[in-house]
Amino acid sequence: MRSVVDFLTHYGVTLLLVLFVAFPLTWMVIASLTPANELFTSPPKMLPSTLTLNWYRETWQASDAPTYFMNSLIIGLSTTAVCMIVGVLSAYATTRFDFPGKNLFLGAALASYVFPAILLFLPLYLILNALRLTDSLAGIIVAHIVVSFPFAVWMLRSFFQGVPRELDEAAWVDGASYLRTLVSVILPVCMPGLFSTAIFVFVLSWNEYLFASVIAGSAANKTITVGIAEFITSFDVRWGNIMALGTIATVPVVIMFMFVQKYFLKGALEGAVKG
Amino acid sequence: MSLPGIFVIAVFIVFPVVDAVRISLYDIDVLSDIETFVGFQNYLEVFRSPNFGTVLFNTAIWSVGSLIGQFVLGFVAALLINRNLPGMKLVRSILLMPYVVPVIAVALVTRWLLDGSYGILSHSLQQADLLAHNQSALANSTGAMIAVIVANVWRSFPFVMIAYWAAMQGIPREQYEAARIDGANKWQELIYVTLPNLVPVTVTLLILRLFWTVTYFDLVWLITQGGPGSSTEHWPLWIYQEAMGFFRFGQAAAIAVTMSVTLIFCWGLYGVWKRTGGGK
C-alpha cells in the first residue's frame, strides 16, 4: 500500500513538472497552426477548430525569414568550426602539457564562462565598431566565438581527461608528433564528445540574441532570433508569424540536442560542476 | 598548440575586460569620436543616480526569486529522474528541453500567454478577479516581475537538475545501506544521507547560477524591456540602456565594472569557503 502511494506521488509530481515544461512550447506550436480569425478571439480559446499552415507559408514567403535562417546557419557553422579547431588544440595542450600561463589561460576562460555576455558586451561592441565589423556576419561570428569558446574548451577538456595518457605516450614512443597523436589517436576515441560539444556550440550561437541584435544592422545580416523580434513593430505584434518562426527556430535545435544529450551530460557535468 | 586559444582569450576576453575598465574612466562622444578623461566622474554619477537603488532592489528580487525557483524545481526534478522507474529516461529528455530553446521563443510565448486580450493566462487571471478586464499581467509591476522570474526558472532549472542528479549518482550505495540497517525510512535517508552529500555541489552551483542570473539580459529585455516604468529594470538592462539607449558608454562601463567587482567579491568569498575546507 505504501509503495503504491509512493509510486503515484512520484508519477504525479513528474506529470506536473512535464506539463510545466511542455505547456509554453505546446502553446507556441498550436498558436502557429491556428487560423487568424481564431487566434485573435477574446476570451481566448484553448484549441482551434481547424489547423492551418498559413502562418508558415506567409512567414517563409512574404518576409526575409529564409535569409535570417541562412544567416543563422552560416554564423552557427562558422562559430562551431573556429571554436572546435582552436578549442581542440587548447584543450589537448592544457590536459597533456604544463606550460607557463596555463592556469591563467584556464582561469580567464572560466571567468568569462561565469561572467556572461553582458559584461563583455560594451567593449566588444566598441571594438567591432572600430574594426568596421558591425552590420556584418563576421562581426556576429566574432561575438559568438567569444560567448562559446570558453565553454567549448572546458567541455572538450573533460572528454580529453577521460582518455588515458598511456595512449598518447605509446604514440609518442612510436615517433608520432603531438599533432599527429591528437589527430589519429585521441580524436577518434573522443568522437562522441567532439560531436556533442560541436552541437552545443552551434545551439548557443543559433539561440543567441543580444549580440546578434546589436551587431546586425540591415536585414541582410539578421539572424533568425533577431528576425523573430522584427515581427514586433510599433504598430502591431504579428503573433501568428512570431509563433511560426519561433517554432521553425526551436524544432531543429531541440531535435539535435536530444540526439547528443547523453554525451552532453557527461561533458557538461565534468566540465562545469566538478571544476 | 595552445597559442590560438591564448590568442582568442587574450584578444576577445581579456582585452575587452581591460578596455571596459578604461572606458569607465572616460567620457566618450560617439558622434565626434572624442574621448575625454574624467576619472571617477562616471562612477559618482552612477552611485548618485536615482536609478541606482531601484536597479539594485530589482536585481536582488530577480536573483533571489530565480535562484529559489530553479533550486527547488531542479532538486525535485533530480529526485524524480534519479529513481529507476520506467519512463524516467524520457522524462529527463523532456525536462532538459528548456535549456536549449531559443530565449526569444520563450520570451515571446510568455508575452503571448499574458496578452491582455488574447492571452490564455491573463484571461484566467482576469476570470479569477486578480486582473482588471483586458489587462495584461505584464502591465502591473508585481505581475511583470513574477512573469520574468517564472520564465527564467522555466529556462534554467534543467541545469540545476542535471548537476544535482550527477551529484546524487555519486553518493556511495553503502551510505544508504548503512542508514537502512539503522532503521532509517525514506525521509530520514533523504535528510541524513542525500542532503549532506549535496552541500558541496549546492555551494558551487549557487555561485555559478548567481553570476549567471545577475548578468542575464536577454529574457527580461525581451519580455518587459524593464517595464512597466522601471519595475523590472535590473543591472544588465541598466547597462544596456545607458549604452544603446543614451550612448553614455562611460557610465555604462562604470555600471558594468561595479557589477563585475561585486561578483568577483562573491567569487572571492566562495574561494575562501573552499580553501577553509568547505565541501570536503
Side-chain angles (χ1 to χ4, degrees):
Chain A
M1 192 56 215
R2 268 201 54 143
S3 68
V4 173
V5 174
D6 183 52
F7 200 70
L8 289 178
T9 324
H10 193 94
Y11 279 102
V13 180
T14 305
L15 187 67
L16 284 180
L17 211 55
V18 167
L19 285 177
F20 174 68
V21 162
F23 175 70
L25 295 176
T26 316
W27 203 262
M28 175 172 77
V29 177
I30 291 176
S32 74
L33 296 168
T34 303
N37 58 337
E38 292 190 53
L39 198 54
F40 301 103
T41 51
S42 188
K45 291 206 288 187
M46 286 296 283
L47 289 170
S49 56
T50 55
L51 297 178
T52 170
L53 286 173
N54 275 342
W55 293 118
Y56 288 91
R57 211 168 294 140
E58 189 189 309
T59 309
W60 201 254
Q61 284 165 4
S63 76
D64 288 322
T67 313
Y68 303 153
F69 195 88
M70 280 311 291
N71 286 345
S72 278
L73 208 59
I74 294 168
I75 293 169
L77 291 175
S78 314
T79 305
T80 310
V82 175
C83 283
M84 289 308 288
I85 294 169
V86 182
V88 160
L89 292 174
S90 306
Y92 186 65
T94 53
T95 48
R96 293 300 189 270
F97 311 110
D98 270 317
F99 53 88
K102 179 175 127 174
N103 287 331
L104 195 67
F105 168 78
L106 288 173
L110 187 65
S112 74
Y113 173 48
V114 285
F115 297 143
I118 190 86
L119 284 173
L120 300 171
F121 161 77
L122 200 61
L124 198 65
Y125 175 76
L126 293 175
I127 293 168
L128 290 175
N129 202 24
L131 295 173
R132 311 235 170 278
L133 281 175
T134 46
D135 197 10
S136 75
L137 293 185
I140 303 178
I141 294 169
V142 168
H144 285 186
I145 292 170
V146 173
V147 176
S148 333
F149 180 71
F151 191 89
V153 171
W154 277 89
M155 200 161 154
L156 288 168
R157 267 174 60 80
S158 74
F159 289 112
F160 287 172
Q161 271 162 350
V163 180
R165 269 192 77 103
E166 287 76 38
L167 269 183
D168 305 66
E169 279 154 11
W172 296 337
V173 169
D174 287 344
S177 68
Y178 293 144
L179 199 61
R180 181 69 200 272
T181 309
L182 172 64
V183 173
S184 29
V185 178
I186 307 304
L187 292 190
V189 186
C190 294
M191 265 339 250
L194 292 178
F195 189 53
S196 62
T197 309
I199 289 201
F200 196 82
V201 170
F202 181 82
V203 168
L204 267 183
S205 163
W206 181 272
N207 291 352
E208 203 278 334
Y209 174 80
L210 171 66
F211 284 122
S213 73
V214 176
I215 296 169
S218 49
N221 293 322
K222 281 183 175 135
T223 64
I224 196 159
T225 52
V226 180
I228 297 174
E230 288 294 290
F231 286 105
I232 302 177
T233 67
S234 35
F235 306 108
D236 64 345
V237 181
R238 295 167 60 194
W239 287 116
N241 305 93
I242 288 175
M243 296 301 154
L245 197 52
T247 309
I248 292 174
T250 303
V251 168
V253 291
V254 168
I255 292 175
M256 267 194 260
F257 191 70
M258 289 300 156
F259 273 112
V260 295
Q261 55 145 318
K262 199 172 79 193
Y263 309 115
F264 163 76
L265 292 179
K266 183 182 178 294
L269 291 175
E270 290 174 2
V273 181
K274 285 184 194 163
Chain B
M1 206 176 253
S2 56
L3 275 180
I6 292 173
F7 174 79
V8 169
I9 295 276
V11 173
F12 297 128
I13 291 162
V14 177
F15 178 67
V17 169
V18 175
D19 201 40
V21 177
R22 187 188 67 81
I23 295 169
S24 75
L25 302 172
Y26 282 80
D27 182 49
I28 294 179
D29 185 358
V30 246
L31 291 179
S32 57
D33 231 352
I34 294 174
E35 302 186 352
T36 326
F37 183 77
V38 292
F40 288 98
Q41 187 67 33
N42 291 327
Y43 288 89
L44 284 178
E45 275 174 41
V46 166
F47 290 127
R48 287 204 199 109
S49 157
N51 252 349
F52 191 73
T54 319
V55 169
L56 215 57
F57 178 75
N58 290 341
T59 308
I61 300 281
W62 149 260
S63 308
V64 173
S66 301
L67 286 176
I68 293 177
Q70 58 183 281
F71 273 80
V72 170
L73 273 196
F75 176 69
V76 171
L79 279 180
L80 293 173
I81 61 170
N82 192 38
R83 276 176 68 182
N84 261 335
L85 290 176
M88 284 305 140
K89 251 192 176 151
L90 178 68
V91 167
R92 193 185 68 199
S93 308
I94 296 173
L95 294 186
L96 264 173
M97 256 163 46
Y99 195 56
V100 287
V101 169
V103 189
I104 180 101
V106 183
L108 292 173
V109 172
T110 308
R111 282 175 63 169
W112 173 238
L113 291 169
L114 293 173
D115 187 87
S117 319
Y118 312 117
I120 194 94
L121 286 183
S122 280
H123 177 71
S124 315
L125 292 170
Q126 288 159 13
Q127 295 294 86
D129 270 333
L130 291 165
L131 274 181
H133 182 64
N134 271 356
Q135 205 198 30
S136 162
L138 293 173
N140 84 44
S141 45
T142 318
M145 185 55 98
I146 294 175
V148 291
I149 291 175
V150 171
N152 187 29
V153 168
W154 184 88
R155 190 172 159 67
S156 45
F157 89 86
F159 188 93
V160 179
M161 166 181 89
I162 288 307
Y164 271 144
W165 178 60
M168 284 173 188
Q169 303 230 309
I171 303 174
R173 295 275 92 201
E174 298 80 44
Q175 295 193 14
Y176 287 103
E177 280 157 21
R180 226 161 292 153
I181 289 166
D182 290 341
N185 61 29
K186 279 252 179 284
W187 273 112
Q188 288 164 327
E189 274 181 27
L190 183 69
I191 290 164
Y192 296 111
V193 182
T194 310
L195 288 183
N197 274 298
L198 295 182
V199 171
V201 69
T202 303
V203 178
T204 309
L205 258 185
L206 259 179
I207 198 96
L208 267 177
R209 296 323 283 174
L210 176 75
F211 284 14
W212 191 82
T213 310
V214 168
T215 54
Y216 190 38
F217 169 83
D218 305 27
L219 191 73
V220 184
W221 174 253
L222 290 167
I223 294 179
T224 67
Q225 267 92 53
S230 52
S231 56
T232 51
E233 185 177 346
H234 66 335
W235 237 337
L237 239 78
W238 194 21
I239 299 173
Y240 182 83
Q241 278 175 337
E242 286 289 329
M244 303 318 289
F246 308 113
F247 295 104
R248 292 200 289 249
F249 290 111
Q251 276 95 327
I255 304 170
V257 171
T258 312
M259 179 164 88
S260 323
V261 169
T262 313
L263 290 175
I264 291 167
F265 179 73
C266 294
W267 201 1
L269 287 183
Y270 167 71
V272 170
W273 175 83
K274 247 192 152 172
R275 216 157 296 149
T276 51
K280 283 280 131 64

